[in-house]
């Protein structure tokens, strides 16, 4: 039971920091480039994908494998709260409801392609750096 509570505290701490960071980053991006397209959400999702790819390679290389608290804090907590599928879904739905089907499709295609590319880049770059 103590291990579960300790894990829960690591996730909660990471979630608090990740959610605050998402609020700051997505808001900064939205204020900088405008809010007609959900660029802020895309930026947090792409950078979060880059980070999870890097952390997965670090875990694969044994760097964080022996420290489950690091994974709970950084991946489950921080990145789980920093990235947002729910905002992406709601903003895409809003674009569709406003008749902006091309922008909605672009949001879906760009988010998927960029997030997968970022996770791959993070994984491969970290693995190359570890060898």
């Amino acid at each position: 039971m103590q291990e579960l509570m300790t894990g829960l505290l690591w996730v909660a701490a990471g979630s608090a920091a990740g959610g605050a960071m998402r609020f700051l980053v997505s808001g900064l991006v939205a204020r900088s480039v405008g809010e007609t397209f959900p660029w802020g959400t895309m930026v947090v999702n792409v950078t979060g994908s880059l980070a999870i790819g890097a952390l997965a390679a670090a875990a694969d290389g044994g760097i964080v494998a022996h420290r489950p608290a690091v994974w709970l804090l950084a991946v489950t907590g921080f990145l789980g709260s920093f990235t947002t599928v729910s905002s992406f879904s709601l903003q895409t739905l809003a674009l569709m409801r406003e008749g902006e089907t091309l922008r909605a499709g672009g949001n879906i295609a760009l988010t998927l392609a960029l997030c997968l590319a970022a996770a791959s880049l993070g994984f491969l770059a970290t693995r190359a750096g570890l060898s």
Side-chain angles (χ1 to χ4, degrees):
M1 186 65 166
Q2 183 179 359
E3 185 176 326
L4 176 65
M5 293 308 294
T6 302
L8 185 61
L9 289 174
W10 284 119
V11 171
S15 296
M21 186 61 72
R22 174 164 50 104
F23 175 76
L24 290 174
V25 171
S26 66
L28 178 66
V29 171
R31 284 188 298 278
S32 298
V33 297
E35 297 184 30
T36 57
F37 191 80
W39 293 112
T41 299
M42 186 175 297
V43 167
V44 296
N45 285 335
V46 171
T47 55
S49 295
L50 180 72
I52 202 167
L55 287 168
D60 197 41
I63 293 177
V64 296
H66 304 295
R67 299 182 182 115
V70 172
W71 192 265
L72 291 172
L73 177 73
V75 175
T76 306
F78 184 86
L79 291 176
S81 185
F82 181 69
T83 59
T84 174
V85 172
S86 57
S87 291
F88 159 76
S89 300
L90 184 61
Q91 291 163 339
T92 302
L93 180 62
L95 287 171
M96 291 170 55
R97 291 182 66 203
E98 293 166 4
E100 299 281 351
T101 52
L102 187 59
R103 286 181 181 222
N107 190 38
I108 294 167
L110 274 175
T111 297
L112 182 60
L114 292 175
C115 287
L116 288 173
S120 299
L121 177 64
F123 188 90
L124 294 173
T126 301
R127 189 167 67 181
L130 294 176
S131 54

